[in-house]
Amino acid sequence: MKKIVVKFGGSNLRRPEDIDRIVNVVQTYQRPLVLVVSAFYGITNELIACVQAAKEGAGTKAALADSRNYTQTLRALKKTILEANLHDAEHRARTEKALGERLDQLERYLTGIHCIGDVPTFVNDAILSYGERLSSLLLAEVLQSRGIAAREALPEDIGLITDGVFGNSACDFAASAASVAQALEGNEVIVVPGFYGVDREGKATLFGRGGSDYSAASIACCIGAESLDVWKDVDGFLSADPGTVTAPRSISQLNYLEAAELSYFGAKILHPRTVEPLFDQDIPIRILNITRPERGLQPYTIINAQRKVTKDVVKSVTSTEDVAILKLHGPGVGFKPGILAQVTNTLDQNGINIKSVLTAQTAINILLARDHLDAAYAALKEHHLAGVVDVSRNDEVAIVAVVGDGVLEASDVGSAIASRALSAAIASGVRVTLAAAGASEVAAYMLVHQEDRKKALQAVHAEFFGS
């Protein structure tokens, strides 16, 4: 029997009592599972802040004390969780000792930053992986205490090998598949920490922020899983953010491309790279809500290879403020050969990812993540590209996108979908900076002034789904 890979994210791990919900879900399956878990909510952000503070204050007694205070805070938090979930004193003491050993390792890494005054990339990735390492150990022990045959399996132990890119790695499936499949055999529930794999030297490399979804998908690919079940605290994918529009519709089915574009353009349900490992094997992703136990294992949204154009084409409207525009100005930048190649090469050398590129004769517009804008601006200003007379930047924008199979075909015939979205936004007084259709088979998008994002989302959603 194929196994199911089950992913629990940080939104499922906010309070000590949330462990009970996870245990109840595991019991509902009544079969061997592979669980992939994130850090407790907020822990990764705290570790990032701790690393930055250690780097900035390296060598000072105050900063060293702050680092040790943080690990003590983590010890206290994990002890509280243990006391709420492990009732056998001997088992609790044994687990607390094991967690303590991992926290000792974390403290040594943080102390090392103070000694050398820097944070090597491999140290940064190792430190940030500890939120997940603590969660997986704790959950495996709690499951055992409830009479469930369970064990922990770390990425370094199962051979989840990456391409070795620190901070944003990808799984090396050729190197991983056989060892991961063998390591995850058996009739137990196996708990794996998400977010990281290891390079060929055994060093932890992160799969990027939110990368536990990608971890789970990679493992599902390696073992040929029956499905990847992702447990959230929301009702799957919706036609829009329920915090912005009233009564959005539930989406029962998406294909891989639609799910990827929705995630890319701001939907928070999945990491944008989750579908990559599953596409070729047609392993479905099922989105379930842990706060709705009455539904059992019935998903709200299923993501698979099935492509279906609905009557109204658009399935969802999404948005994000995690975008900025870097603009290269020059009378012939859109015509001069080689400029774009130089730009992409320069940004790649600086570890900066390009979201999209829109060109004209006198300008090249490069869309980036907002926190990459300053570094990209500095790199291109320093590079002095021939034909570029000025470089400007704009971080006061947001993306609003419409997603649905058939958007490209509809756009080819009178630009129906893109035009309706754009017209609806403009009619509501939204200031549109750029618009694009055709880059994706299933999506069209516009850039609007940041303060108009919600207004644009509401107007476009009303155009396709009613008010």
Side-chain angles (χ1 to χ4, degrees):
M1 179 191 299
K2 291 184 176 181
K3 286 190 174 182
I4 296 174
V5 176
V6 183
K7 159 67 181 7
F8 294 105
S11 62
N12 303 143
L13 293 164
R14 295 175 184 265
R15 304 163 300 169
E17 55 267 31
D18 287 343
I19 295 285
D20 272 337
R21 284 179 171 175
I22 292 177
V23 173
N24 291 337
V25 166
V26 171
Q27 291 172 329
T28 301
Y29 279 95
Q30 295 185 332
R31 60 185 289 179
L33 303 168
V34 177
L35 307 186
V36 177
V37 294
S38 296
F40 265 72
Y41 186 80
I43 294 295
T44 302
N45 285 338
E46 291 170 4
L47 285 169
I48 290 171
C50 193
V51 168
Q52 186 61 29
K55 181 179 179 180
E56 292 174 355
T60 66
K61 289 183 178 180
L64 181 59
D66 286 343
S67 294
R68 289 175 175 166
N69 286 341
Y70 179 67
T71 57
Q72 289 303 318
T73 300
L74 273 181
R75 291 177 201 274
L77 171 64
K78 297 307 177 184
K79 185 173 183 178
T80 299
I81 296 169
L82 287 177
E83 289 174 347
N85 290 281
L86 283 179
H87 306 302
D88 179 79
E90 184 178 340
H91 193 173
R92 187 166 63 244
R94 187 169 66 248
T95 304
E96 187 174 353
K97 180 182 178 182
L99 287 169
E101 290 171 355
R102 291 199 181 169
L103 285 165
D104 289 342
Q105 295 168 356
L106 172 60
E107 191 167 293
R108 284 194 292 272
Y109 274 118
L110 290 170
T111 301
I113 296 174
H114 291 279
C115 293
I116 66 175
D118 196 10
V119 188
T121 51
F122 77 91
V123 171
N124 181 77
D125 282 24
I127 289 173
L128 298 191
S129 72
Y130 271 86
E132 279 70 20
R133 295 174 193 256
L134 296 172
S135 291
S136 59
L137 173 58
L138 193 153
L139 181 57
E141 295 295 333
V142 171
L143 290 171
Q144 290 174 17
S145 76
R146 307 290 175 88
I148 298 170
R151 63 181 171 90
E152 183 193 31
L154 299 175
E156 53 265 45
D157 296 331
I158 65 176
L160 186 62
I161 307 300
T162 74
D163 58 8
V165 177
F166 292 104
N168 193 30
S169 63
C171 182
D172 183 336
F173 293 101
S176 301
S179 60
V180 169
Q182 182 178 2
L184 299 183
E185 289 178 347
N187 294 321
E188 322 104 309
V189 173
I190 305 172
V191 187
V192 183
F195 193 30
Y196 79 99
V198 293
D199 67 12
R200 291 178 181 273
E201 296 178 356
K203 293 189 175 85
T205 63
L206 302 182
F207 289 126
R209 288 307 307 269
S212 290
D213 286 348
Y214 178 78
S215 297
S218 297
I219 290 170
C221 174
C222 288
I223 69 172
E226 179 179 317
S227 67
L228 168 58
D229 289 7
V230 180
W231 287 83
K232 309 291 291 186
D233 57 358
V234 294
D235 295 343
F237 279 91
L238 302 173
S239 61
D241 175 12
T244 304
V245 305
T246 56
R249 300 180 189 179
S250 180
I251 305 173
S252 60
Q253 186 271 336
L254 290 167
N255 65 52
Y256 292 124
L257 297 179
E258 291 170 324
E261 294 291 12
L262 281 171
S263 301
Y264 182 77
F265 285 117
K268 303 299 184 185
I269 305 299
L270 287 178
H271 189 281
R273 295 172 63 197
T274 308
V275 304
E276 287 177 26
L278 308 177
F279 193 90
D280 288 341
Q281 293 191 45
D282 194 12
I283 297 171
I285 305 170
R286 298 164 13 110
I287 312 296
L288 304 100
N289 189 342
I290 201 166
T291 69
R292 308 275 195 183
E294 69 277 5
R295 284 179 65 95
L297 300 178
Q298 181 180 353
Y300 277 90
T301 303
I302 295 177
I303 300 161
N304 53 28
Q306 180 182 345
R307 301 195 63 170
K308 178 181 179 182
V309 179
T310 60
K311 179 182 177 182
D312 296 319
V313 180
V314 174
K315 290 186 179 178
S316 185
V317 184
T318 188
S319 68
T320 180
E321 294 182 354
D322 183 23
V323 65
I325 304 172
L326 188 67
K327 182 175 285 191
L328 310 181
H329 304 263
V333 291
F335 180 77
K336 185 176 177 62
I339 286 184
L340 197 52
Q342 293 179 59
V343 169
T344 56
N345 184 55
T346 299
L347 296 181
D348 182 60
Q349 290 176 354
N350 285 271
I352 296 166
N353 183 51
I354 297 174
K355 286 180 174 286
S356 185
V357 178
L358 297 169
T359 64
Q361 174 67 10
T362 60
I364 298 175
N365 298 274
I366 302 168
L367 274 57
L368 309 162
R370 189 179 296 264
D371 60 0
H372 285 170
L373 180 61
D374 290 342
Y377 176 80
L380 294 183
K381 286 286 281 187
E382 181 182 337
H383 199 66
H384 302 298
L385 297 167
V388 176
V389 299
D390 191 25
V391 181
S392 65
R393 49 188 163 177
N394 180 4
D395 62 357
E396 296 180 353
V397 292
I399 284 180
V400 175
V402 290
V403 176
D405 212 345
V407 163
L408 177 60
E409 289 84 354
S411 296
D412 286 343
V413 184
S415 298
I417 299 300
S419 291
R420 283 177 62 189
L422 184 61
S423 298
I426 292 173
S428 68
V430 171
R431 293 162 291 175
V432 179
T433 303
L434 290 170
S440 165
E441 296 179 59
V442 300
Y445 68 91
M446 68 186 82
L447 271 81
V448 303
H449 281 245
Q450 185 177 349
E451 58 265 35
D452 291 343
R453 181 187 67 84
K454 288 186 177 181
K455 185 194 298 184
L457 188 66
Q458 291 163 352
V460 176
H461 187 269
E463 171 66 24
F464 292 102
F465 299 97
S467 56

